[in-house]
Structure formats: C-alpha cells, structure tokens
Amino acid sequence: PPHGGDGARAKLPAMTALLLSLAYLVGALPLGYWLARRRGVDLRTASPYTLGLESALRRLGLGLLLLSFLLDFLKGYLPLLLGRALGLDLAGLLALGVAVYLGHLYPLFFRDPWPLRAKGAGVLLGILSGLPLPPALGLVPVALGLVLYALTGYASLAALGLPLGLLGATLFGGFGLAERLSALALFLLALWRYKENLGRVLEGTEPKLGDPLPLPSEKQVVCAFLIHPLTVEDFWQSPRFRWLRPLVRLGLLKQEWIERLAERFRPMKVGEVRGVRTADGREVLCHLISAPLLPHQIKAKPELAVRRAIQGARLAKELGATVVGLGAFWSVVGEKGKRVQEAVPGIEVTNGGAYTAGTVRAAIPKILAHCAQSGKDLKGATAAVVGANGVVAFGIARQIAPLVGRLILVGRDLERLKRAAESLRKNLERKGEAPEILATTEIAAIREADLVFTATSDPNPVIYPEHVKPGAWIYDEGVPPDVHPSVREVPGVRVTPGGVVRLPGEARATLDLHFGAPDQVPACLAETMILAAEEAFDRKSLGGEVRAENVQFFVERAEALGFRVVE
C-alpha cells in the first residue's frame, strides 16, 4: 500500500543510523587484546599495531594469532550480514563497513593509550566477505592482495590491496557515487593506518614474512634512540616525507603548516643504526625513532614533548628494545627523562649524560695539551664555558678551573650561576688553585677567552664571529651546534665538535645524524648501546645529576667494547 511504502522508507534512515552505530561499537571492541590478556600475553611487547605480521606470529604464536584474526574477521562480517538481512543496499553495506573499520581504528570510549590491536586486515577481509558483489568483482581485492604479496613479500602491502581492489571494483564496475565514496573512505582509512608500514617499506626497514625478528639474545642486543629533526630540511631525509619537499619549495605548503601537522604525528621508526659489532663479538641493532617536533616546538610545548617521549619509549619497547635513549632535546624533557621512565617502567630510559660527560672529560686534557704545545700559557689564559647552568657544561668548568688563570661562566640563570661559581671558587681556594671566576649572562663576555667550551640546549647557534677572539680554540658540545659556521672564518680560530663517538664494527646509520660520518654518533646514543650491551641498567642517566662513578664506568666499558671518542 502507498502509506505502508512511505512508512518503510521513513524507517530506513533511522534503521541505517542505528546499524551504523552498532557497527562502530562492534568494530571498537578490542577482542584480540582481551583474548591475549586472558592468555597472559602483554600486547605492549607483542602488538602487530607496530611490528606487523611476522613479529605478531613470533611473539603471539600461530594459534593465538589465527584466533585473533578470526575475531577481527567476524567483527567485519557480522554487521554486514545483519545489514543484508535487513535489506540494506550495497551503498548502505559499504557505509557499515566504513563504520566497523573506523570503530576498530579509533574507539572513542577508550582513552589514550588505547588497547593496541592489529591494523585490521582481518576486519577488512570480513567486510569484503559480507558485501554482495558479483563473483568476478568480489575476487578483485583478494587477487590484488595476493599479487602484491607475491611481488613484494610485504604483508602490509597485501592488506592494503584489499581496500584498493574494492575501490577499483567500484570505480570500474558501474556502481554509483555513494558506493564509490564509501569504498574511497575505507581505502583512505586503511592507507592512514598503514602509513607507518609504508614509511618503513620506503626506508627498507619493514620486515617481510620469514625475516628474522630482532630480539635480544646472547649475540644480538636491541636498543632504540629517540631523535627529532633539527631543521625543516631534516624532514626530507625520510622517504615518507620527501615528496612534500617540492611543495614547500614552490610555496604551496608553508613551514608553519608542516610544523602544525608534525605536532599531530605520534613517534615512528624512521631508520636504524646497523652493523655495530662490539669487540667481544656481539651485534647491536639500534632503532631510530622520531616524533617530528623541531627544537623550538619541544621547548614551547613541554607537555606535548613529554607525551611524545613517553609514546616513543612505548614504541621502543614494542620493537623489542631493552633500553631507549633520549637524544638532543628529548634528553631534557620530563625532568630529563624521569617522567618518561615512570610512565614506561617496562624499558630502561637514559638521557645519555654520563657518557657525554665522559667524552668531554677524556677530550679536555688533549685539548689543553694541544694549547700548551702551541705556546699558550694556560695559567695566563682565559677560558669561557657557555651554558654553565647545565650539568655537562658546569662539569667542564670544574675540570678546567684549576688549570687556567681566569674563567668566564655564561648561563641564563644568573643567580643560580653565581651560587655555583661561588661554590666552585671556595672548593678551589681550599686547594690553593682558585682562578678569577666571572659569572654572566652576556655571551659577548667570551670575546676575552683564549679557550671556549660550549654545551647549551639552544636550538640555534649562540656564538657568532663578533663573540670570538682571533686565535681562540672552541670545543662545541652543543646539539645542534652552538657555534655558527661563519665563526670558522675568524683568523686562527679552531672549532672542535664534542661528544662524538665512532662505533665499532662496520656501523652505519640509515639517516644523516649530522655527526660527520655514518659510523659517528653522539655520546648519548653510544651510552644507550653500552647500557643495552652490558645490561648495567643501574648506570643509566636520569635527571640532572651525573655520578662520577657512572662517568668512569662508561669511559672504561666504551674503550673495552671498541667505542672511540672522535677528537
């Protein structure tokens, strides 16, 4: 009857809305997570969210992995089966599929960190199985997935082939706009979810099924190191971002847009340090993890920086690392790593301060000896330490103070610097070795110095030609460098980079870490490797204090394992 038909049509949108909500809720159920927890498996160290099919198989086992996959398949299949029973057309069923997958990826009723789950290959296959496609078209997504896997060996590309094949089937199979838009939405969701895998494929670090999984063993040590770009140019080192570079150069993308977008990215693996082999024959694999925040963003948004550092430590744990090091500006966030360690107790966290101080301690006598050999009278010389409010820089000040005639301490907190200078002066007076000590916030004061040691956490250079005396020797421990490149043009000035370590074996980083050569890394990264190799976790560097016995430990063990300070 006409009235009955109108009523049915009126009820259809309401029923569709109810089914979409139900599909989302079903998709949001973390069934695999609950299953693994009941079996006593910690998904923080076994999550296919980060590690892919190969590692999930190795860590979860075949039976648990297949059961988890089946549950995901049913999450995708059953809502569509219900929709078909209630008479939804293909457009409505595809919308249900999008809702299921969206719920699986982003369950709103779970707080961050969400219970980790697979990227949804099983859900996607369940959705495809629930669609009433003609057999010829229904086989296209599965066939494309199998072809991609056969050609590349990457399970992630095979999974992406499912929604891509569905999109192709709707585009060329004579379907309407609604079906095409839903298939496009499903593909874009999968593409976004698999972006980390695609990035690793481009960088050559995505494992294939059958590849050995990096896990700590007697012969292999696994650690991780958290890095960040120093400038926008560093974004383009990763192939996953390199395609944006022409758009920036053409002015189609502004730097502030890139920075704003970077704040939305969670930490990701962007490279590795490979080929490190210690003197006793062990291999050290280091995963390079980046949350792409620039130095000024880390300083301006400390809570965001702490959150990203914590997420980076969790990712390091999922990758099988026993230790994660905080590099560059990450080393000062969260009370110099303390909050990160408290939030992620399942992995050791270090800011690398001890071995950094050790490399400085080892280098200073050689620098002073070179100065003496060149005819400089150290007792009559003036030395300056820039960044003296920091632990590393003030450690340098303590070491060189007895050897020079005058010492200039430059820092940002004048009152605290004056107190530290007075304490240092009193200690030296008791030994009869006290030089004249000046505390100041003015960088121009170092113009009087014959020797300059600098170790700040400033994102930009702080020392320029007008600050430097001709013939001065400068030891730059800053990361990024504190000394502007133009300083090298000042007559007689010698600039030596500090805290750089050459790794043992045939080591190379897959990214340019800006330390001169592929086998040269910052001392804080080397400390991370040494901690992992020695399992001396009580020696890790956290907070602002660096114990002298830990500094000596890293100097000795680095020498024994084959790490060499670059002079």
Side-chain angles (χ1 to χ4, degrees), residues 534-546:
E534 298 295 282
E535 298 185 353
F537 302 136
D538 59 323
R539 302 284 189 176
K540 65 188 178 187
S541 303
L542 277 181
E545 296 183 5
V546 177

Side-chain angles (χ1 to χ4, degrees), residues 3-164:
H3 295 293
D6 291 342
R9 282 192 293 271
K11 292 178 181 178
L12 188 59
M15 181 180 68
T16 303
L18 179 61
L19 286 175
L20 287 173
S21 300
L22 179 62
Y24 177 86
L25 293 174
V26 170
L29 295 174
L31 301 180
Y33 177 80
W34 289 338
L35 174 66
R37 287 196 62 180
R38 287 187 62 86
R39 298 288 184 88
V41 178
D42 180 8
L43 280 184
R44 289 293 175 190
T45 61
S47 172
Y49 172 87
T50 297
L51 299 172
L53 176 61
E54 166 65 9
S55 58
L57 181 61
R58 291 279 298 274
R59 292 167 185 256
L60 295 175
L62 180 60
L64 188 58
L65 181 65
L66 289 177
L67 185 54
S68 177
F69 187 88
L70 176 61
L71 291 175
D72 277 353
F73 176 88
L74 292 175
K75 284 203 304 185
Y77 180 73
L78 292 178
L80 270 70
L81 187 64
L82 178 60
R84 290 175 66 173
L86 293 175
L88 290 189
D89 59 9
L90 182 60
L93 293 172
L94 277 168
L96 284 186
V98 173
V100 171
Y101 195 51
L102 189 64
H104 176 80
L105 300 185
Y106 302 107
L108 295 181
F109 49 83
F110 285 116
R111 294 188 176 184
D112 186 26
W114 298 328
L116 298 180
R117 72 278 305 284
K119 290 185 173 69
V123 178
L124 291 171
L125 191 59
I127 293 169
L128 289 172
S129 301
L131 293 173
L133 294 172
L137 289 179
L139 289 175
V140 169
V142 177
L144 181 59
L146 292 174
V147 168
L148 287 173
Y149 183 72
L151 292 176
T152 67
Y154 292 116
S156 53
L157 293 184
L160 267 178
L162 299 177
L164 180 59

Side-chain angles (χ1 to χ4, degrees), residues 83-238:
R84 290 175 66 173
L86 293 175
L88 290 189
D89 59 9
L90 182 60
L93 293 172
L94 277 168
L96 284 186
V98 173
V100 171
Y101 195 51
L102 189 64
H104 176 80
L105 300 185
Y106 302 107
L108 295 181
F109 49 83
F110 285 116
R111 294 188 176 184
D112 186 26
W114 298 328
L116 298 180
R117 72 278 305 284
K119 290 185 173 69
V123 178
L124 291 171
L125 191 59
I127 293 169
L128 289 172
S129 301
L131 293 173
L133 294 172
L137 289 179
L139 289 175
V140 169
V142 177
L144 181 59
L146 292 174
V147 168
L148 287 173
Y149 183 72
L151 292 176
T152 67
Y154 292 116
S156 53
L157 293 184
L160 267 178
L162 299 177
L164 180 59
L166 177 62
L167 177 60
T170 58
L171 289 176
F172 302 106
F175 293 98
L177 180 61
E179 289 86 350
R180 293 176 179 181
L181 289 177
S182 292
L184 177 62
L186 192 65
F187 171 68
L188 291 178
L189 279 172
L191 186 65
W192 178 255
R193 185 61 161 182
Y194 278 92
K195 65 184 182 300
E196 178 68 16
N197 300 78
L198 294 175
R200 292 200 297 262
V201 168
L202 292 172
E203 292 157 358
T205 58
E206 173 79 348
K208 298 180 180 180
L209 192 63
D211 287 349
L213 184 67
L215 290 172
S217 66
E218 291 184 3
K219 289 298 182 180
Q220 185 180 61
V221 174
V222 182
C223 60
F225 192 67
L226 193 59
I227 62 176
H228 62 79
L230 299 178
T231 66
V232 171
E233 285 299 308
D234 282 337
F235 280 110
W236 321 134
Q237 282 205 56
S238 172

